[in-house]
Amino acid sequence: MNDEPERQYRDDNGGARLGSGPSPVELAEMALVEAELDQRWPETKIEPSLTRIATLMDLLGSPQESYPAIHIAGTNGKTSVTRMIDALLTALHRRTGRITSPHLQLATERISIDNAPISPAKYVEIYRELLPFVEMIDAQSAEEGGPAMSKFEVLTGMAYAAFAEAPVDVAVVETGMGGTWDATNVIDGQVAVITPIGLDHVDYLGPDLASIAGEKAGIIKRAPESLVPRDTVAVIAQQEPEAMEVLLRRAVEVDAAVAREGSEFRVLARRVAIGGQQLELQGLGGVYDEIFLPLHGDHQARNAVLALAAVEAFFGAGAERQLDIEAVRAGFASVTSPGRMERMRSAPTIFIDAAHNPAGARALAATLGEEFDFRKLVGVVAVLGDKDAAGILEALEPVFDEIVVTTNGSPRAMDVDSLANLAVQRFGDERVVTADTLPDALESAIAIAEEVGDPGEAVSGAGVIVTGSVVTAGAARALFGKDPA
């Protein structure tokens, strides 16, 4: 008898089923597909063109036009907001398709239906079905001197096709990078959500907040003509003034309605609770109280009210129309955001967090300072080479007693020596330890956390935080035996 606990996976038609998980053959087939996709342009490389993905959509019969969508762009909080919107829509009895990126552990996480990743078998099936069309576009682009379809373009096409086949009632779509030229932007979201914008991917999106905001603002589009007229609604988180100016100008240009955090909606109150926080939110349709959110941090409370306003806008909620309060409570209570202050174990307490830029690291540091009282806190940090490692370390220095720097195994990871040099500049020699691999780093961090005083006492007040990259969080999650989600 198989003692492995049953888990939820997708069946071949996109619906949920219970089973013992993907077989080794299915995972091997998926690995082959991933190897093929990895030969294409990576997600860190974009071209200002939607021609190839638009052509693929045309060849497939425009699946992205067969369902309404909520489109999410921004620098920080996108994945959490996307998952919150998905959870709320599900609680309000809508069948959802969700796109998130990047994934933590397995690429199937990027394409979810009914709040669960599609199966590896379904992933392979959709890829094989689209491959002839993709190869046709590759050949046409090559004849014109252009590149083949990128990996992200192919994955986006797969997701939109899967949603149409399911079919879903609404797609919740997180952009990959930017907005205007992001492959997901062949969809017309009736609600465009902009999370806080910061300096990230400056080599691709622009050197300042205004430039980056201009790229993100590209998902705010004029509502297409239809028999039933409707407005596009831009739901915008609090922004720096130079970013907000760009976003509002875009909304005016395309005649979109605007809802802004701090004006039309806001967090009224929050208090720390066991396993998360209790919230009172001012939405577009009124006040929603007694909201339990099983996530930590002020930034997650603000993500929650942003998600709430987006769902209200989708249903046309306003001063005279509020969403069902019990459904909203149930939706938020069901939210998960893997890799975002996610507890892996206790004694010592180990959290993982996917903070990968200075703004994300500052939010993590604020959460640790406000909501936890560790006697000793040790950081395990691995950062990708194209990120602002110095800024991340500067943000984390006040809350970490010691830091173990390592690599997450990605070819893009900053090497240990370079990261250690940056860490020493901020923490000093005596607070920095190096490890060649993430498992070694975890072992060292746990030993450091436990080394003061009586062992029982030491463990109870000690904490370890693994952070620095989405890749780092995903690798740590796998080490602790967590399933992709």
Side-chain angles (χ1 to χ4, degrees):
M1 180 177 176
N2 185 354
D3 292 328
E4 183 179 3
E6 287 190 329
R7 307 176 191 132
Q8 192 175 52
Y9 291 92
R10 317 307 314 166
D11 67 20
D12 288 341
N13 295 314
R17 68 175 173 88
L18 289 176
S20 58
S23 70
V25 172
E26 290 172 335
L27 291 173
E29 289 176 347
M30 182 175 169
L32 289 174
V33 167
E34 284 296 283
E36 289 183 28
L37 286 168
D38 285 341
Q39 295 176 33
R40 297 179 174 275
W41 265 13
E43 292 167 85
T44 53
K45 188 173 182 178
I46 59 174
E47 182 196 36
S49 170
L50 295 178
T51 301
R52 293 176 300 279
I53 183 65
T55 302
L56 178 60
M57 293 295 98
D58 288 342
L59 291 173
L60 296 176
S62 300
Q64 83 284 8
E65 295 178 3
S66 64
Y67 37 78
I70 299 176
H71 205 178
I72 301 99
T75 303
N76 289 296
K78 286 187 301 178
T79 297
S80 292
V81 170
T82 299
R83 295 181 73 105
M84 290 178 190
I85 291 171
D86 194 356
L88 288 172
L89 289 169
T90 299
L92 290 161
H93 310 295
R94 296 300 188 274
R95 189 176 201 201
T96 59
R98 183 182 74 222
I99 296 176
T100 53
S101 64
H103 61 275
L104 283 170
Q105 294 167 262
L106 198 62
T108 52
E109 298 167 29
R110 295 168 177 258
I111 306 173
S112 290
I113 296 173
D114 296 330
N115 282 284
I118 60 172
S119 69
K122 190 66 178 177
Y123 186 93
V124 171
E125 177 191 322
I126 298 169
Y127 173 77
R128 296 299 181 200
E129 287 176 354
L130 266 60
L131 187 57
F133 301 101
V134 170
E135 291 175 336
M136 188 186 310
I137 295 167
D138 288 346
Q140 179 181 334
S141 182
E143 287 176 6
E144 297 169 356
M149 292 192 74
S150 70
K151 178 177 181 177
F152 190 70
E153 287 173 331
V154 176
L155 290 174
T156 300
M158 290 168 58
Y160 287 157
F163 296 166
E165 180 186 311
V168 303
D169 298 321
V170 54
V172 188
V173 179
E174 176 188 352
T175 57
M177 184 165 56
T180 302
W181 304 116
D182 189 80
T184 63
N185 206 28
V186 291
I187 207 164
D188 292 322
Q190 66 185 63
V191 178
V193 182
I194 308 293
T195 70
I197 293 172
L199 292 175
D200 202 6
H201 302 298
V202 293
D203 292 344
Y204 306 99
L205 303 180
D208 52 43
L209 286 180
S211 302
I212 295 171
E215 286 297 311
K216 309 285 187 182
I219 71 165
I220 307 172
K221 292 185 279 190
R222 190 178 303 276
E225 293 185 8
S226 62
L227 293 175
V228 181
R230 64 168 178 81
D231 292 328
T232 298
V233 182
V235 179
I236 305 175
Q238 286 187 349
Q239 307 287 346
E240 294 296 330
E242 56 267 45
M244 182 63 85
E245 180 183 354
V246 172
L247 297 172
L248 293 179
R249 189 185 312 122
R250 171 67 178 183
V252 170
E253 289 171 356
V254 299
D255 198 27
V258 173
R260 295 157 297 171
E261 181 189 0
S263 180
E264 287 74 26
F265 62 93
R266 70 186 68 207
V267 177
L268 294 176
R270 62 178 290 265
R271 62 178 177 82
V272 176
I274 297 173
Q277 54 191 309
Q278 201 78 17
L279 306 176
E280 183 179 0
L281 306 176
Q282 172 67 58
L284 305 179
V287 175
Y288 299 79
D289 60 2
E290 298 181 19
I291 304 295
F292 175 70
L293 180 69
L295 301 174
H296 297 281
D298 175 70
H299 62 295
Q300 292 292 17
R302 294 172 63 182
N303 286 340
V305 79
L306 187 65
L308 173 64
V311 175
E312 287 184 297
F314 179 79
F315 286 109
E320 304 301 321
R321 186 181 177 194
Q322 189 174 23
L323 299 178
D324 179 75
I325 183 66
E326 293 302 329
V328 170
R329 288 170 179 157
F332 277 124
S334 72
V335 167
T336 61
S337 194
R340 277 76 184 174
M341 271 303 286
E342 184 182 13
R343 186 190 295 264
M344 294 291 102
R345 59 167 275 190
S346 301
T349 300
I350 300 178
F351 283 100
I352 61 171
D353 191 88
H356 59 277
N357 55 36
R362 286 192 292 271
L364 170 60
T367 300
L368 291 168
E370 293 168 5
E371 299 190 17
F372 298 90
D373 187 23
F374 291 109
R375 177 191 49 74
K376 186 170 189 178
L377 189 59
V378 182
V380 173
V381 178
V383 182
L384 296 185
D386 59 350
K387 297 295 184 177
D388 182 3
I392 292 170
L393 293 168
E394 182 179 1
L396 296 174
E397 188 275 331
V399 295
F400 287 164
D401 294 291
E402 296 188 46
I403 185 172
V404 183
V405 298
T406 187
T407 177
N408 53 36
S410 168
R412 295 170 53 206
M414 178 176 287
D415 68 86
V416 176
D417 288 342
S418 298
L419 186 56
N421 288 336
L422 291 174
V424 167
Q425 292 174 32
R426 282 152 186 84
F427 287 76
D429 281 318
E430 70 284 355
R431 295 168 63 197
V432 178
V433 175
T434 62
D436 291 335
T437 67
L438 187 56
D440 290 343
L442 273 166
E443 186 176 337
S444 296
I446 291 169
I448 293 168
E450 294 177 344
E451 69 187 8
V452 177
D454 149 48
E457 181 185 356
V459 172
S460 65
V464 174
I465 311 295
V466 185
T467 190
S469 169
V470 176
V471 177
T472 305
R477 210 169 185 274
L479 285 174
F480 283 101
K482 298 290 185 180
D483 287 330

